[in-house]
Amino acid sequence: MIKTKNITKRVTTSEGELQILQPISFDVKAGESVAIVGASGSGKSTLLSLLAGLDQVSDGEIFLDGAGLHDMDEEQRARLRGDKVGFIFQSFMLVQSLTALENIMLPAEIAGMDNPQKRAQDILDMVGLAHRGQHYPNQLSGGEQQRVAIARAFITNPQILFADEPTGNLDAKNSEKIEDLLFKLNQESNTTLVLVTHDNELAQRCQRQLQMHAGELTEITENATDTMHKQAV
Amino acid sequence: MNTTFSLAWRLFKHEARRGELTIILFAIVLSVAAVLSLSLFSERLQAALTDRTAQFLAADRTLYSDDPIDPAWLSKAEAMGLAHAHQVSTRSMAFGEQQMSLTDLRAVNLDYPLKGAVKVAPEPFATASETSELPQIGEAWIDSRLFQLLDVRLGDSIEIGDANFSVARVLGEIPDAGFSVFATDPIVLIRQEDVEATNVIGPGSRVNFKYYFAGDSSALNAYYDWLEPQLDDEIHNWRSVEDDDSPIGRSVGRAEQYFLLASLLAIILAAVSIAVAAQRYSQRHYDPVAIMKTLGASRQMVQRIYLLQITFITLLGIVIGAALGVAIQQVVVWAIADQVDVSMDMWHWRPLIIAVFTGTVCAVLFSLYPLLKLFTVPPLRVLRRDLGAGLSSRMIQFLAAGSAIFLLMWAYSQNLKISAILFVSGIVLVASLLVVTHGLIALGRKLGQGRMGPWQLAWARIRRRALDNSVQLISFSVTIMLLLVVLVMRNDMIKQWRDQLPEGTPNYFLINITETQKPQLQQHFAKNDVESDKFYPVVRGRFVAINDERIRTNVTKEDEEDSNEGRQGLGREANLTWSLELQDQNVVVEGEWLTAWQPGQPYPVSVEKEAAQRMDIKLGDVLTFNIGSEVVSTTVTSLRDVNWQTMQPNFFFVLHPEAMKAFSPTYITSFHLAEERKPEITALMQPFASVTLFDVDARINQLRDVVEQVSMAVEFILVLVLAAGSLVLIAQVQASMDERQQELAILRTLGAKGTLIRLSVIYEFLIVGIVAGLMAALTNELSLYLLQSQVFQMNGSLHPEYWLIAPAVGAVIVGVLGALGCWRLLKLNTSQLLRQMV
Ligand SMILES: Nc1ncnc2c1ncn2[C@@H]1O[C@H](COP(=O)(O)OP(=O)(O)O)[C@@H](O)[C@H]1O
Ligand SMILES: [Mg+2]
């Protein structure tokens, strides 16, 4: 589902050029769930943004379901994201001036699917917020907002789901609920999942764990070493 | 497209309901409402004032002619829906039992006057009141003076030419008598049907035919367009209310200019507030745009959504603004209904069109840049929260905004001068503000060092945001500057108007006082506790030649009817006076005053500037006058600027006393008699039957009335602009408060004390307020000077008091508003703040 070849990310700052990611190569199979763990600032989100086509690689190649992200412009990547990708963020990223239901409808509408409202209502039921559809994000608790975000991520039946610290802003109890929901939906729809977290317990629930350390990625799951081509630096 | 529309509509609906559009909507509503109410009000006022002025013409337009005009011209006027009236006038002798006098004979038809009213008094010099009647055939209504001059009473008969008239009423006033108080002959009003019998109109007599027209201005203009090609400059003279050069005309003209200025300022205010609001609106939508892009929305889709949103907002803003504007204007009109007679029955479309146009143009042009910026927000912002928009060329923004404002002003005012002046002042303000902000940054770096107290925090924040928020500082300063311009302009203008007619302005003039009567009169007045003005010696002279060139006696035919006092007589006879003292409100603008004369040189004369211009008289020209049988030659040694707006005798020619030693003059003087002493006037003048008395109270009151009304109107316009400006200031503070929210939350979480934060915010606003106020006060001087000298024909002056007041008021207002906003923010607890941040 995802293939990366020697992708790197450099940015220019006022202090000069900064290499955030060392060359990284790895693959993710369809239906697989992968956790990327690592200290804050190690480059996890940066990697995620490249994999999801939110940002452009400095070098290297990324294929998402066969499409070469590194060759695409922002418009093409947007289309691809709309078609195949779902997102969940630490800070939920709901549109504050749309209701929960409308937030869920949003990707379906953008993708031009029919009956977005019906779909959204169904999925809202699934995440257990059927009666909160008309509420605005700021009328919902953090956990509820993230559930809305999860519903929004799944409405387009994405082939791959990216989650950046989905429980980072939540307390333990809510975190667990969210995790359960996420994995449940993931299994039901057989979506590929790439999840960034610094919560080891959450990482353990994924089939594979990758460790990010100062821009370098290492595989830490024993059973899947074969998919990881470690890169000599 | 359908999805885009429904998405845009949904966003708009929710945001409107949740009050998230308040600020930008408010800005558009404000701009439309302010422009609409101001221009609607000023249009109505102008109509009212023009109507008022029309009363001094007795019509909206008049056509003077040396010959009777083609009757077809009148039928045409009728066909075009215009009312018309006519008058034949000439100077003619009138005879009483024993006495005779030259009179200004006016024969009118029954439709006279089309505007204003004829006033009659129960007895000579008594207070006159309006009448709708006109003299019957065979009747003459005569001026109070003429009763004195001819020694007649009501019911007596007088003779004019070959006809006899019965003196039926005391003529107090006719609308188009003119403002001239000297050298006019007493008016006799008769009916046109009687003219023929007098035989005063014949070959050789100077007769004026005057035609009055009234109707709505489009019909009047159309008529003039039709008429103009047929007019002969030598014979005809067309006048409209706008040509009115009398004190009233000038006051009204100046007021109109002021209204225009105020409306222009409203437009700029509107533009500034929309610019601020649009910037903020755009910033608030960085997240939704990033989210939509992340979820796969194309650039085009995002653009459409937001263009639609802006369209919805603009439409809503225009609807609310228009309703509000009409309401405000209505309230103001009701409020001043007692003072100013503003007609409500006419609906003026122009202001509405202007307001809608302004609202649209401002909304589009000033949200364009923030929107373009918004479109560039990268989707990556969903992960990297600090990512903003990519586009940043402030210069382009300033350029676009500047030219938009300029074009709007120009299009609206069609007055390049005013627009350019305001624009240039604006540019100077912005440029100096940029310099000052850099200075502040440098200063702040010094002051901001050391322990983190509230001052340090305030300076640090200003430094960090100074450039970012220069837009904010600029908008504060521009707003304050505009408010100062309207305020100070109004003060200066009203002061000048009031100065023109101070309490105790002479309301009676005396002429024909002989040398022997002069001391007697002075004594008599002193005894009766009446204070008389200076006595001006006058000799009538015929102005016959400039250098060797003889002048036609009727050089200044049109001036015959000109309303500036003293100007009459320029054609045939001039009032010559002499004095070594330069009169009040006279300024020598060229050459040297008479005192520079040395015996042995040719006699000097000082000539009024405008008259000199008209007759092409230069310094050094030799002017020849016939006085009685004598010939006096004088050399022009100075040109004077004369303030014609004062109620004092003014003269075209002032000679050296030495030149006039041989002539025995009569004297002119004036005095003020309080309203309650008016009945004494007949008794007071009893011993001086040969002295001619002019009662100019009516004229003064008319002038005062108009000045009062105009001042009142100006006052209201000022209040409207001030209100609009204050609202803009509030909106600006509010907007910048929101931007501080995040910072406050962080400070709060870091454990900063409430007082520290509050003080630092207040100090920050104080500093911004002081700087904005000071800069505004300084640039205000520039624009005021330019406006007053270039547009309002006033003498510009400095206003140092505002250099202190403006920064102080700026600091207080901006500081208080900032403190209030801050207090609201600090009331929220930290988690609420943080919640609002994300
Ligand atoms: N555009 C950029 N400019 C400068 N520094 C960046 C940029 N993007 C990322 N970084 C830096 O790269 C490092 C990795 O960031 P990130 O991927 O957000 O880490 P993580 O998600 O693991 O906490 C951080 O130190 C971050 O500050
Ligand atoms: Mg991260």
Side-chain angles (χ1 to χ4, degrees), chain B residues 225-507:
Chain B
D225 287 343
W226 174 84
L227 188 63
E228 196 191 359
Q230 309 175 61
L231 296 181
D232 177 352
D233 272 356
E234 291 282 304
I235 302 174
H236 303 116
N237 182 21
W238 177 264
R239 299 191 125 232
S240 73
V241 181
E242 285 76 30
D243 303 333
D244 186 7
D245 198 29
S246 69
I248 286 182
R250 289 195 199 188
S251 302
V252 171
R254 209 177 263 175
E256 284 172 358
Q257 216 104 56
Y258 183 81
F259 300 152
L260 186 64
L261 180 71
S263 315
L264 284 183
L265 297 190
I267 289 179
I268 305 179
L269 278 183
V272 169
S273 66
I274 289 180
V276 171
Q279 192 189 11
R280 182 165 169 279
Y281 173 83
S282 145
Q283 270 164 9
R284 282 180 83 107
H285 284 86
Y286 282 6
D287 274 342
V289 166
I291 294 172
M292 284 191 270
K293 283 186 169 178
T294 298
L295 297 180
S298 66
R299 198 186 166 84
Q300 197 190 36
M301 183 169 188
V302 171
Q303 286 172 357
R304 282 209 189 127
I305 289 175
Y306 279 92
L307 289 178
L308 278 170
Q309 280 248 59
I310 284 294
T311 311
F312 296 148
I313 296 170
T314 308
L315 285 178
L316 182 62
I318 285 176
V319 170
I320 301 178
L324 192 66
V326 172
I328 291 173
Q329 175 281 145
Q330 203 82 5
V331 169
V332 172
V333 169
W334 277 330
I336 62 165
D338 291 343
Q339 282 83 16
V340 187
D341 178 25
V342 179
S343 138
M344 297 293 291
D345 25 283
M346 235 203 331
W347 173 253
H348 301 263
W349 281 107
R350 206 177 90 99
L352 185 66
I353 295 168
I354 291 167
V356 169
F357 180 73
T358 310
T360 315
V361 169
C362 284
V364 170
L365 284 177
F366 289 96
S367 56
L368 192 64
Y369 179 78
L371 274 187
L372 286 179
K373 236 176 129 168
L374 179 60
F375 298 155
T376 67
V377 169
L380 190 55
R381 183 179 160 90
V382 293
L383 285 173
R384 295 189 44 82
R385 312 288 296 115
D386 54 327
L387 278 184
L391 199 66
S392 72
S393 48
R394 183 137 285 169
M395 219 44 225
I396 292 183
Q397 186 190 12
F398 283 154
L399 267 179
S403 30
I405 290 188
F406 181 69
L407 286 179
L408 266 181
M409 292 198 298
W410 192 11
Y412 175 46
S413 67
Q414 287 167 7
N415 186 327
L416 190 56
K417 230 184 204 170
I418 294 190
S419 314
I421 288 173
L422 289 178
F423 190 65
V424 166
S425 325
I427 300 262
V428 170
L429 178 62
V430 170
S432 23
L433 276 173
L434 288 179
V435 172
V436 167
T437 18
H438 277 102
L440 275 183
I441 294 171
L443 187 65
R445 199 165 289 150
K446 280 229 173 79
L447 294 177
Q449 280 161 1
R451 235 190 81 254
M452 255 318 180
W455 278 108
Q456 278 75 19
L457 215 54
W459 273 115
R461 208 165 322 123
I462 288 180
R463 197 171 74 210
R464 192 149 21 84
R465 310 158 54 108
L467 283 183
D468 246 11
N469 281 347
S470 49
V471 170
Q472 184 198 324
L473 186 61
I474 288 171
S475 65
F476 278 136
S477 307
V478 168
T479 310
I480 297 176
M481 176 185 110
L482 298 185
L483 296 184
L484 280 180
V485 168
V486 283
L487 179 71
V488 180
M489 191 71 208
R490 164 255 175 212
N491 290 349
D492 285 4
M493 206 160 67
I494 290 191
K495 183 173 173 305
Q496 278 208 358
W497 282 335
R498 300 256 152 93
D499 285 355
Q500 199 175 293
L501 293 171
E503 275 308 306
T505 298
N507 50 358

Side-chain angles (χ1 to χ4, degrees), chain B residues 601-667:
Chain B
Q601 295 175 342
Y603 290 127
V605 62
S606 174
V607 184
E608 193 264 342
K609 190 183 71 181
E610 279 172 38
Q613 239 162 38
R614 223 174 15 248
M615 294 181 287
D616 202 18
I617 296 174
K618 304 256 172 336
L619 282 186
D621 281 350
V622 177
L623 309 185
T624 309
F625 298 97
N626 276 356
I627 304 171
S629 52
E630 305 283 320
V631 174
V632 177
S633 282
T634 57
T635 308
V636 180
T637 56
S638 66
L639 298 182
R640 275 168 306 128
D641 203 357
V642 170
N643 183 358
W644 290 105
Q645 314 214 14
T646 57
M647 278 286 181
Q648 69 176 19
N650 278 313
F651 299 91
F652 285 111
F653 305 103
V654 180
L655 289 87
H656 197 281
E658 204 59 32
M660 307 301 284
K661 268 203 322 229
F663 304 102
S664 55
T666 60
Y667 289 89

Side-chain angles (χ1 to χ4, degrees), chain A residues 45 48-49 54-55 74-75 78-79 81-82 87 89 91 93-99 102-103 105-107 109-110 112 136 138 140 145 152 164, chain B residues 3 6-7 10-11 13-15 17-18 20 285 287-288 291-301 378-385 835 838:
Chain A
S45 297
L48 188 84
S49 70
L54 288 172
D55 201 3
E74 167 54 27
E75 285 300 282
R79 200 170 313 132
R81 286 196 299 268
F87 289 95
F89 304 101
S91 51
M93 283 289 139
L94 298 176
V95 177
Q96 295 294 315
S97 43
L98 293 180
T99 61
E102 287 166 344
N103 263 289
M105 286 161 63
L106 193 57
E109 284 180 303
I110 291 172
Y136 289 103
N138 67 350
L140 301 172
Q145 289 191 50
R152 180 179 66 181
D164 189 17
Chain B
T3 340
S6 69
L7 208 58
R10 222 179 298 140
L11 275 170
K13 209 172 60 186
H14 291 311
E15 297 199 341
R17 193 179 304 150
R18 287 156 49 90
E20 276 162 27
H285 284 86
D287 274 342
I291 294 172
M292 284 191 270
K293 283 186 169 178
T294 298
L295 297 180
S298 66
R299 198 186 166 84
Q300 197 190 36
M301 183 169 188
L380 190 55
R381 183 179 160 90
V382 293
L383 285 173
R384 295 189 44 82
R385 312 288 296 115
R835 173 98 64 90
V838 287

